[in-house]
Amino acid sequence: MQLRLGLPKGSLQEATFQLFRRAGYNITVSGRSYHPAIDDPEIAVVLMRAQEIPRYVSEGVLDAGLSGYDWIQENEARVVEVAELVYAKQSQRPVRLVLAVAQDSNIQQVTDLDGKRIATEFVRLTRRYLAAHGVTAHVEFSWGATEVKVPELVDAIVDLTETGSSLKANNLRVIATILESTPRLHANPAAWEDPWKRSKIENLALLLKGALAAYAKVGLKMNVPGDRLATVLGILPAMKQPTVSPLYNNGGWVAVEVVIDEHRVRKLIPALKEAGAQDIIEYPLNKVIP
Amino acid sequence: MQLRLGLPKGSLQEATFQLFRRAGYNITVSGRSYHPAIDDPEIAVVLMRAQEIPRYVSEGVLDAGLSGYDWIQENEARVVEVAELVYAKQSQRPVRLVLAVAQDSNIQQVTDLDGKRIATEFVRLTRRYLAAHGVTAHVEFSWGATEVKVPELVDAIVDLTETGSSLKANNLRVIATILESTPRLHANPAAWEDPWKRSKIENLALLLKGALAAYAKVGLKMNVPGDRLATVLGILPAMKQPTVSPLYNNGGWVAVEVVIDEHRVRKLIPALKEAGAQDIIEYPLNKVIP
Amino acid sequence: MQLRLGLPKGSLQEATFQLFRRAGYNITVSGRSYHPAIDDPEIAVVLMRAQEIPRYVSEGVLDAGLSGYDWIQENEARVVEVAELVYAKQSQRPVRLVLAVAQDSNIQQVTDLDGKRIATEFVRLTRRYLAAHGVTAHVEFSWGATEVKVPELVDAIVDLTETGSSLKANNLRVIATILESTPRLHANPAAWEDPWKRSKIENLALLLKGALAAYAKVGLKMNVPGDRLATVLGILPAMKQPTVSPLYNNGGWVAVEVVIDEHRVRKLIPALKEAGAQDIIEYPLNKVIP
Amino acid sequence: MQLRLGLPKGSLQEATFQLFRRAGYNITVSGRSYHPAIDDPEIAVVLMRAQEIPRYVSEGVLDAGLSGYDWIQENEARVVEVAELVYAKQSQRPVRLVLAVAQDSNIQQVTDLDGKRIATEFVRLTRRYLAAHGVTAHVEFSWGATEVKVPELVDAIVDLTETGSSLKANNLRVIATILESTPRLHANPAAWEDPWKRSKIENLALLLKGALAAYAKVGLKMNVPGDRLATVLGILPAMKQPTVSPLYNNGGWVAVEVVIDEHRVRKLIPALKEAGAQDIIEYPLNKVIP
Amino acid sequence: MQLRLGLPKGSLQEATFQLFRRAGYNITVSGRSYHPAIDDPEIAVVLMRAQEIPRYVSEGVLDAGLSGYDWIQENEARVVEVAELVYAKQSQRPVRLVLAVAQDSNIQQVTDLDGKRIATEFVRLTRRYLAAHGVTAHVEFSWGATEVKVPELVDAIVDLTETGSSLKANNLRVIATILESTPRLHANPAAWEDPWKRSKIENLALLLKGALAAYAKVGLKMNVPGDRLATVLGILPAMKQPTVSPLYNNGGWVAVEVVIDEHRVRKLIPALKEAGAQDIIEYPLNKVIP
Amino acid sequence: MQLRLGLPKGSLQEATFQLFRRAGYNITVSGRSYHPAIDDPEIAVVLMRAQEIPRYVSEGVLDAGLSGYDWIQENEARVVEVAELVYAKQSQRPVRLVLAVAQDSNIQQVTDLDGKRIATEFVRLTRRYLAAHGVTAHVEFSWGATEVKVPELVDAIVDLTETGSSLKANNLRVIATILESTPRLHANPAAWEDPWKRSKIENLALLLKGALAAYAKVGLKMNVPGDRLATVLGILPAMKQPTVSPLYNNGGWVAVEVVIDEHRVRKLIPALKEAGAQDIIEYPLNKVIP
């Protein structure tokens, strides 16, 4: 028995493979193959354009897939969302699907778009959004470079943006955010009902989330005199609660160990030192499972 | 007054710029801009996906464009074809749009496709082709990697092929060629009626064809004794007729100069030498205008 | 006093240096030098073709070396094998020296090779193998690209293969495996009798093996309620036995820490969580010494 | 309120950013910008040539900066030295500013330079050094490639050297070391008096030193029988003292954990094993704060 | 006897070597050497920063050099200017040394700079320029990245610009152009008086100019009926006059050959064809000597 | 009928393909194939190590091949030498096979090598050379990096050198040159007797030599007044004799055209100008056939 899993080809591919590697799965792709090898004989991976994964998951050609919320919505795919996995090319932030016009256009809001032309890769999402706002406009499919088409070719675009820098470089102004999107592990409803497949998908989700959590967390260890323990524990924003262990033959000192968000470390370390902690070390983590 | 010219972004871009450079136009693109600079103030270049150029030329947003015959047909674009320019990424051969199935499929011809699923980037062309053969099938838009979808996801595909190697690598069998495609300089019908624009487009075509011809031709010069001239001329497959000029103070010798296809040179040179030609030199050309 | 150590130049070099780095030795090679610097004044490193290292170790020009079992055998080198170190370019698998013929050849086994021509870089090994099977054939030295010589130039080859993909790409069929080979740290017999050199070589072997073990292992830490400890310990395939330490002021909870094979983690973590373990973290290791 | 911090552009930039990253600060520079983003809103980073940073810190344009001791001295900058941070491009060693002449020059010491020509980027430092030795010479500013100017253009140079290899390659002989230089975090005196800024700078120094210490250190963990603990502890050169914790239900065994210099590991591990330690693991560290 | 010639190291180096190669001199530089080999035993090349070449030429350490007019002026070097050679990194245009301020500064002209701070690599040129306009300002040496110093660190800068894009990217406004600069072959006055050296330098200048002219020119050949010759000649903007030669046995046709500016070709070819020229070919040139 | 042609794989491959391209043959190799495609259906190319080509040509497995004189000799191959083709990686010079010892060795000549050890890739050539000088020494096959083996592993080496720089870098001293080697087109004696194959090989040699000649030659054209023609012709070192043609309607002027060695151009151009030539242009050549 095998789980058929669709993973995104292209710009997210390398980050996806790295996440799987940290989760414990080695995926190796030879040349331009679309059927990479994975070191788990119970999984068969297919590489696909992210745009198409939700369609094939919803049709049952795949049991599960990894793609953005944006493409799940665009495909109107009926799938089970198993886990949100916020990893991405540049940042750990979600991408936004926005409606944008030229900086100096007199279009101010979606309702000004009546009778206008809009280019987008998300034709269905755009049409649903316009309909919900009672707007009638011409929506045309864009093969790419959508953001350079305003104002010469169209009046507005609906496009993805991560940092906004491409919009800015093309002198565009965002007038609405249609949705925010993050990668989702999603499953075909029938596969989700199959106990073996569901357990396989759930374990995969557990390990991917554990690996993803570890990107942003580190381990911290320190020695603390017994009488300062309460103070130190008061400062620590532990995942759950710190692991405190007695030291051997060392009159009341304890070792304290926590897992914390990396971005808090630079505030914490000076505070911990002041509170009496000594021999503080920070070490990297591969996985963190609560 | 300016001619608005659409050039293809992406895999053909570098070859296109090089062709223009040899034709005498320097195009420089800074970073990821879609409005490259060209050293002719009477032309404004827009870079676009080849798929969209014929649409915008036919709508008059552009005066002229360079794109494949395939996309002109897919867009059902009403444009004037000005020149066929056979240059391409790997070879100087046309690409073919083919209908292909799995090597071991029992589909043998287009009429076996009734009720089947077909993936393609050329949805309209495929539908027209099926209709012309009286076939009813489900045609779905493919976002890419079309050739790996057979047989898992679809029964057949309609895709471009240049050398056939990708089809072969994916164990596909061609059952029909829908069309052959080469790049075409094409113009908007109204722009073609405008004398200034038409002259501009025609001169551009002349220079592009001159540069393209020079890729495959070389100049050949040699000295020939007068009494061997007829023999030598009989061997030469000149473009038009060779340029023969008398030598100075050199009893009857003449200099013969021709422009010929490079691939004939290796047959010709031994023959010319045998026929009495001496001091044969071959030199490169930038442009050849008949 | 210095230990003269031969390390392989070429395709294994980078992986070798990386292994030494993790073992605690920094080797830096400037340009194309064959005498890289190492940050241990008691060792002198010489880079050499792997083919020649066992010969020079056996002759006493080097005290110890790192090369494959294949070249130790081909050189008929009398050396002490100190440690097997399974690291390699692509995988952690051994390479095989195989006897191969054309896919469609009618040669089925070694005894069909009488009177045939065989190309190989391993002339002596091949001759010994043929002699052991009572076969008389013409064995010729191959300077490289051995696998493309069948069937035009020779009837069979003896060549190394790691994944078999090159054999497959050249339409070859393996008819026998002559030996399996892995890298070996080996010593000159006289150097091995010298106490200082032997201790130096043994410590090196200890650290290299410790570093190599760490490639495939990770550390796992978790908190467990006392009453679930037995269950958790029953699941864990620890290297030796887990390190269990009491938590401070935490009614019977203990911290459990183990070192395990990385490839088992993805099965273990779901099981551990189900067994009651919490706050599981996985962290990377540099060295593991049992 | 913001701390204005100058960081060196160029050859030290990547190493500097990496050190900050390990200290907990992400600096991202887009393109060729001199105002990189940092994920701490209380800091504004400016990239500058290392030569100019001390000048702008001393003038108060910047609150603090990171540059070499050499440029602090050359600029005669009145700044507070907050921390010495020994990281550098190739090695962890300081660079030296040396006075060098041609290998075969008859200049033997600084006092032989009277009336000679000296090229250097460090015009002021050189003049001060010569004055201190009572020497009068012509010192000219060198725009670069200083080491190739001897003996054709000048008699001596004052230049930086890290490994000495460039001096050697140009046949130069060092006759004096003018100073040794390491990177220094330094502050403007007025900023140092401001409590908010001083605390900000001190915390930054604490984290940078913690990250830097971790480059050269590793964690070591092992299990030890109680009766061998004293022997094991006697061997360990711990940062402060090892963390010893009792094992659970394990008749007298303890877990010992220390942070030690990585370069000592290869001597220690064989000794620890001999002393009775078992299950020794070495793991990497991100930060070490004593 | 040898001519000592200084050539610029760095951004102009590759373009300089290429120009020399087309002029007939092969210069090969091994690694980071400053004494490249040249295949003319009568020349010794020294690579140097462009900034320093005029100084060493004026002092007679070099006989001749190639550097910008800007650095000849900044060094106040007394040298003989032998030839202007307009080649450069990006374009064939001269670079300009400009005085620039922040876009929104209220400084409008040089006389507004009294008492202000100016950063520049051209300290002497800037001081001379300010003095000529009766302005007293603080001019400080900038080690680089001059254009990012406004307005935080200084009020104005004097910097080189080729396309203006770096100024624009840093929001700077040019208020004056101090000089335009092109590369110049220049000689030491005494070397210029030496007949052997002068002849050597003059021949070098002749060949460099011939090679440089060929960058922008092409050869054009065509066949013309005798009665259209006057018309065709009237159109041709030949360097001097076209080479016209009779064709053999070809009733009155002549072959016309000219050397023209490449950028004129695209206008000329359509006109020539219309005037009756046939078999027009364009070919590349290595050198053009009038 | 097909000519089987062996071409060298590896360091000479790219230069070989380029030479064939200029001779008029396009060879394209896909990936790591040893059977590249060539656009002449009458030739089948096999890529091989240069070491093995003469062996296979002499055995008749190949009809012709391109390899060095060194390997023809080492293989003691009975082949017909058709053409010497002096092209090579770095230079157009021949490589030398030399006998070298350590700089400070007391071995001065070949006769000092009695009883010594010599490493080489050219075992047979070395043994023949030693025998010819009456020397008995131990010659061992070297797998590579031969030049670093002196003096630690052997007393002398026999190795190829092009510029001598590798010998120098390894402190070696040449004591004898055993042979000079250049690439040779060579044929199997039986193939040479076959008229079709011989004509095919001879035409190939003609075109390869024509292309090779063009690397080092250029075309020169100039206009000369009739009364200066003799002077100008006296200066020109033409391949054969210059092509002189009368100019049209241009009182006695003639056009002179020659093909000359590129390295002579820089001496000639100043002389031609002085002799009265005008409008001198130099243009590149593809092939030169005398």
Side-chain angles (χ1 to χ4, degrees), chain C residues 5-286:
Chain C
L5 177 68
L7 296 183
K9 180 100 189 151
S11 61
L12 266 179
Q13 179 177 323
E14 205 33 63
T16 304
F17 285 12
Q18 202 182 320
L19 178 63
F20 271 74
R21 222 169 290 133
R22 291 188 67 151
Y25 298 87
N26 272 293
I27 303 179
T28 46
V29 56
S30 56
R32 307 203 292 168
S33 164
Y34 286 78
H35 293 91
I38 183 168
D39 62 351
D40 181 340
E42 294 176 355
I43 300 179
V45 172
V46 189
L47 286 178
M48 275 188 184
R49 294 290 297 265
Q51 288 94 325
E52 299 182 330
I53 291 176
R55 183 168 80 195
Y56 289 117
V57 171
S58 100
E59 293 176 359
V61 180
L62 301 173
D63 295 316
L66 198 53
S67 183
Y69 178 68
D70 45 4
W71 292 111
I72 294 174
Q73 289 300 311
E74 172 65 16
N75 280 287
E76 296 170 0
R78 281 171 312 128
V79 296
V80 180
E81 279 188 27
V82 181
E84 184 179 11
L85 296 165
V86 185
Y87 74 103
K89 288 169 286 179
Q90 286 179 257
S91 67
Q92 254 71 353
R93 282 176 295 174
V95 293
R96 289 179 304 134
L97 185 68
V98 298
L99 179 57
V101 296
Q103 199 65 54
D104 56 4
S105 160
N106 49 21
I107 298 170
Q108 300 299 336
Q109 51 199 9
V110 58
T111 45
D112 299 340
L113 284 169
D114 245 313
K116 304 291 186 188
R117 294 178 68 181
I118 306 172
T120 184
E121 279 190 288
F122 296 86
V123 171
R124 290 197 214 171
L125 261 174
T126 301
R127 287 190 179 137
R128 290 210 309 264
Y129 182 80
L130 293 175
H133 287 80
V135 173
T136 308
H138 174 72
V139 179
E140 70 182 34
F141 178 67
S142 171
W143 288 85
T146 311
E147 71 275 20
V148 302
K149 292 182 175 165
V150 172
E152 287 173 318
L153 309 179
V154 293
D155 303 294
I157 62 166
V158 170
D159 206 7
L160 291 174
T161 182
E162 193 170 351
T163 61
S165 63
S166 176
L167 293 174
K168 201 175 158 190
N170 286 286
N171 286 314
L172 297 179
R173 175 165 43 89
V174 172
I175 60 170
T177 294
I178 296 183
L179 59 76
E180 297 211 335
S181 178
T182 50
R184 308 284 163 100
L185 181 64
H186 56 285
N188 174 271
W192 191 246
E193 292 310 310
D194 175 304
W196 183 88
K197 289 187 177 174
R198 182 172 187 157
S199 161
K200 192 81 197 167
I201 296 168
E202 283 178 337
N203 286 348
L204 184 60
L206 180 73
L207 292 162
L208 289 170
K209 285 191 293 185
L212 197 50
Y215 279 133
K217 292 187 189 295
V218 292
L220 219 55
K221 253 187 254 193
M222 69 211 75
N223 294 341
V224 181
D227 57 349
R228 312 303 301 266
L229 182 59
T231 316
V232 163
L233 294 184
I235 293 170
L236 287 174
M239 218 170 95
K240 229 176 160 170
Q241 60 181 359
T243 299
V244 182
S245 36
L247 293 188
Y248 175 86
N249 272 353
N250 199 338
W253 283 66
V254 293
V256 176
E257 188 157 3
V258 286
V259 168
I260 61 165
D261 291 340
E262 191 186 6
H263 69 90
R264 298 200 191 182
V265 167
R266 66 189 191 214
K267 289 271 183 211
L268 262 180
I269 282 180
L272 289 170
K273 228 177 121 64
E274 198 168 295
Q278 292 190 2
D279 293 343
I280 307 171
I281 63 170
E282 180 197 313
Y283 58 93
L285 301 172
N286 286 345

Side-chain angles (χ1 to χ4, degrees), chain F residues 187-224:
Chain F
N188 174 272
W192 192 245
E193 293 310 311
D194 176 304
W196 184 89
K197 288 188 178 176
R198 182 170 187 159
S199 160
K200 193 83 197 165
I201 296 169
E202 282 177 339
N203 285 349
L204 183 61
L206 179 73
L207 292 161
L208 289 170
K209 285 191 292 184
L212 197 50
Y215 279 134
K217 293 188 189 294
V218 291
L220 220 56
K221 253 188 252 191
M222 69 209 78
N223 293 341
V224 181

Side-chain angles (χ1 to χ4, degrees), chain D residues 70-107:
Chain D
D70 45 3
W71 292 110
I72 294 174
Q73 289 299 311
E74 172 66 15
N75 280 288
E76 295 170 0
R78 280 172 313 129
V79 295
V80 179
E81 281 189 26
V82 180
E84 182 180 12
L85 296 167
V86 186
Y87 74 103
K89 288 170 288 179
Q90 288 180 256
S91 67
Q92 253 71 353
R93 280 176 295 175
V95 293
R96 289 178 305 135
L97 185 69
V98 298
L99 179 58
V101 297
Q103 199 65 53
D104 56 4
S105 159
N106 50 19
I107 299 171

Side-chain angles (χ1 to χ4, degrees), chain F residues 63-108:
Chain F
D63 295 315
L66 198 52
S67 183
Y69 179 68
D70 45 3
W71 291 111
I72 292 173
Q73 289 299 310
E74 172 65 16
N75 280 288
E76 296 170 359
R78 279 172 313 130
V79 296
V80 179
E81 281 190 26
V82 180
E84 184 179 12
L85 296 165
V86 186
Y87 74 103
K89 289 170 285 180
Q90 287 180 257
S91 65
Q92 253 74 351
R93 281 175 297 175
V95 293
R96 288 178 305 134
L97 185 68
V98 298
L99 178 59
V101 296
Q103 198 66 53
D104 56 6
S105 160
N106 48 22
I107 299 171
Q108 301 299 336

Side-chain angles (χ1 to χ4, degrees), chain A residues 218 221 223 245-250 255 262-263 265-267 269-270 273 277-284, chain D residues 24-25 39-40 203 206-207 221 229 239-241 243-246 254 257 259 283-290:
Chain A
V218 291
K221 252 186 252 192
N223 293 341
S245 35
L247 292 187
Y248 175 86
N249 271 353
N250 199 338
E262 191 187 7
H263 70 90
V265 168
R266 67 189 192 217
K267 288 271 184 212
I269 282 180
K273 229 178 120 63
Q278 292 191 1
D279 294 342
I280 307 170
I281 64 170
E282 181 196 313
Y283 58 94
Chain D
Y25 299 86
D39 61 353
D40 180 342
N203 286 348
L206 180 72
L207 292 162
K221 253 186 253 192
L229 182 59
M239 220 170 94
K240 225 170 162 178
Q241 61 181 359
T243 300
V244 182
S245 36
V254 293
E257 188 157 2
V259 168
Y283 59 94
L285 302 173
N286 287 347
K287 290 198 190 71
V288 175
I289 316 275

Side-chain angles (χ1 to χ4, degrees), chain E residues 44-66:
Chain E
V45 172
V46 189
L47 286 178
M48 274 187 187
R49 296 289 298 266
Q51 289 94 327
E52 300 183 329
I53 290 175
R55 184 169 81 197
Y56 289 118
V57 171
S58 102
E59 292 176 0
V61 180
L62 301 174
D63 294 316
L66 198 52

